[in-house]
Amino acid sequence: MKNIRNFCIIAHIDHGKSTLADRLLDFTGSVTDREKQEQLLDSMDLERERGITIKSHAIQMNYTYKGEEYILNLIDTPGHVDFSYEVSRSIAACEGALLIVDAAQSIQAQTISNLYLALENDLEIIPVLNKIDLPSANPEVVTDDIVELLGCNKSDIIPASAKTGIGIEEILSAIIERIPAPTGKPDAPLRALVFDSVYNPFRGVETYFRVFNGSIKKGQQIKFVATDKNYFADEVGTLRLKQFPRQEIKAGDVGYLITGIKDAREVKVGDTITDAKNPTTEAVSGFEDVKPMVFAGIYPVDTEEFEDLRSSMEKLQLNDASLVFVPESSAALGFGFRCGFLGMLHLEIIQERLEREFDMTVITTVPNVSYHAFTHKNPDQAILVNNPTDLPEPSSLARVEEPFIKASIITKSDFVGSVMSLCIEKRGQITNQTYLTPERVELNFDMPLAEIVFDFYDRLKTVSKGYASFDYSPIGMRASKLVKVDILLNGSVVDALSALLHVDNAYDIGKKMCEKLRQLIPRQQFDIPIQAAIGAKIISRETVKALRKDVTAKCYGGDISRKRKLLEKQKKGKKRMRLVGNVEIPQEAFMAVLKLND
């Protein structure tokens, strides 16, 4: 066990995490020349295109240092804020972490939040200053920033360039010398942490785990503590680029397990694996079910494709157990699903994967978060509201609580004013403001999650000219004055456009929605009123004017009464048409609601 090192890499998006992992694999000879490619651990096309890690990966490397053979387990972590629970489980499986900071961009919000996660788990931190070969790099200033953040010595920071391979040998020797070897009891009952799982269509769910105590053998009967289910370990082994089956994985090591589970929901990240006959008394702490934060309706463009959409969603769920969905129907869009996502990036990725992998073109409704509603009848019992249409009648409603987040924004000092006014417009309350350097400021806000769901991130990048980095963590529910704004077309409610909004913003947003829809809804032979309403009270109205057919064109001169008779007849026809007329809503209208500020 003394020759094993388990470590992860923490960094902000685009600070060179995947490239550094590539160089480590090259240097330790873990990949052959034939297998080499850029971002080797990012296996999805989407990850390569966007340059982000969506699914974390683990890989084992062998390295000889001062004549001794060491096993290095790199447990990769996704960088984006939506996947912070997965990051926390990966960190719990390690003893050390490489903290990578870009020499051109300095410390960003996400680096700090993941660093705090690592420090909470008592990890040994090795700071790495990456991209020192860039012309825009500013190593001296960024080194001072890191020293201030970590309280370490300048000599502890390793200057490196993952692209050119500078400093890779120093990083490997630091991993071996500074990161402690794993501790564990080889003779105690089996206790292992599940930090990830991947779905293989031929073999079922492959579970990635780290053994803390005992060992796991091929053919052993094991038990998952959280789901309380027993399985046989059909195959255990270590993770290289390909899987290497072994007879036994001992304490301190990382490996994979195949049990033939066909449903990804049965394997939960953060769960504890133990022996079915001789179980451990203490499970690995920190397990929680992943809670969706953002909800949206996903509907097929053609209602006949509903069953195809269902099977596509089920297949996606095998790969991504954090996707939650239930069937729902809408008067405007027909049958579809109400889906729960970890955040907006997760929603975008699921939508993109549906289109790419399953050829499904879908309509996504306005995303919203889940609220707690309390009625006068049961003031202590919370009703979970994931869809604005589920909100109880205003007369029976006592209060509504919405989820709040603690947002941390790091930006240049020039943009403090514009970032603050954006956050205050989004109902944020500033809690702290610290100058990390004379040039860089960290701002902390308490904000409602619903306000950052739409366009907050895009607008933050706009007001700060791309210099702001943003990170958040949930801080629980708080009571708010929320109202349900309905959109009525021709007098009937379009349920897919309903939204729960704060009282102060309801009038403005209702007005903007009506104006936007007026531009997008095609004209008919009759007037179409577009109204925004809170309960029975109309707060805004726009009208799409009728296309008027010229019925008097055939009258050349003659008596006025003939023309009047034709116009009266047309008026009656329009009235009847308006009563029975149906208004088709174009797909762009649902998307336009998300971009009200454009």
Side-chain angles (χ1 to χ4, degrees), residues 238-256:
T238 50
L239 292 147
R240 302 288 171 86
L241 262 186
K242 298 186 177 67
Q243 295 166 339
F244 276 81
R246 295 273 162 88
Q247 284 303 312
E248 183 178 21
I249 303 284
K250 296 184 175 148
D253 212 348
V254 173
Y256 72 92

Side-chain angles (χ1 to χ4, degrees), residues 35 74 139 277 284 327 329 367 510:
E35 292 166 326
L74 162 60
K277 297 190 180 77
V284 180
S329 65

Side-chain angles (χ1 to χ4, degrees), residues 221-272:
Q221 192 178 8
I222 52 150
K223 176 175 145 186
F224 285 94
V225 175
T227 53
D228 204 24
K229 293 193 173 176
N230 293 2
Y231 302 99
F232 282 100
D234 297 340
E235 186 182 305
V236 294
T238 50
L239 292 147
R240 302 288 171 86
L241 262 186
K242 298 186 177 67
Q243 295 166 339
F244 276 81
R246 295 273 162 88
Q247 284 303 312
E248 183 178 21
I249 303 284
K250 296 184 175 148
D253 212 348
V254 173
Y256 72 92
L257 162 74
I258 295 176
T259 52
I261 300 172
K262 287 284 182 278
D263 184 355
R265 285 166 298 187
E266 287 181 28
V267 178
K268 294 182 184 293
V269 170
D271 198 353
T272 307

Side-chain angles (χ1 to χ4, degrees), residues 550-564 566:
D550 194 356
V551 285
T552 58
K554 59 188 177 189
C555 301
Y556 293 108
D559 191 32
I560 184 72
S561 58
R562 279 188 64 203
K563 291 183 181 175
R564 197 166 286 141
L566 286 169

Side-chain angles (χ1 to χ4, degrees), residues 6-25:
N6 299 321
F7 69 99
C8 62
I9 302 178
I10 49 182
H12 191 76
I13 298 164
D14 202 29
H15 278 206
K17 191 159 56 95
S18 299
T19 316
L20 182 76
D22 289 354
R23 287 297 83 76
L24 292 174
L25 292 173

Side-chain angles (χ1 to χ4, degrees), residues 548-587:
R548 185 163 167 263
K549 192 173 168 191
D550 194 356
V551 285
T552 58
K554 59 188 177 189
C555 301
Y556 293 108
D559 191 32
I560 184 72
S561 58
R562 279 188 64 203
K563 291 183 181 175
R564 197 166 286 141
K565 190 173 139 193
L566 286 169
L567 290 168
E568 285 298 319
K569 194 174 165 191
Q570 183 187 32
K571 203 169 164 187
K572 274 186 194 164
K574 285 224 183 294
K575 201 171 171 186
R576 195 172 71 239
M577 199 188 279
R578 186 168 158 189
L579 292 175
V580 296
N582 241 341
V583 183
E584 284 288 313
I585 305 173
Q587 189 180 338

Side-chain angles (χ1 to χ4, degrees), residues 57-107:
H57 298 268
I59 194 156
Q60 191 175 81
M61 302 173 269
N62 287 22
Y63 183 58
T64 310
Y65 179 69
K66 292 186 179 167
E68 277 195 69
E69 184 79 20
Y70 286 88
I71 293 172
L72 310 178
N73 287 311
L74 162 60
I75 297 170
D76 193 14
T77 58
H80 201 274
V81 86
D82 287 3
F83 309 108
S84 56
Y85 175 62
E86 279 189 34
V87 176
S88 75
R89 295 300 83 206
S90 296
I91 285 175
C94 301
E95 277 82 32
L98 296 179
L99 173 75
I100 297 183
V101 179
D102 186 327
Q105 294 180 32
S106 191
I107 294 160

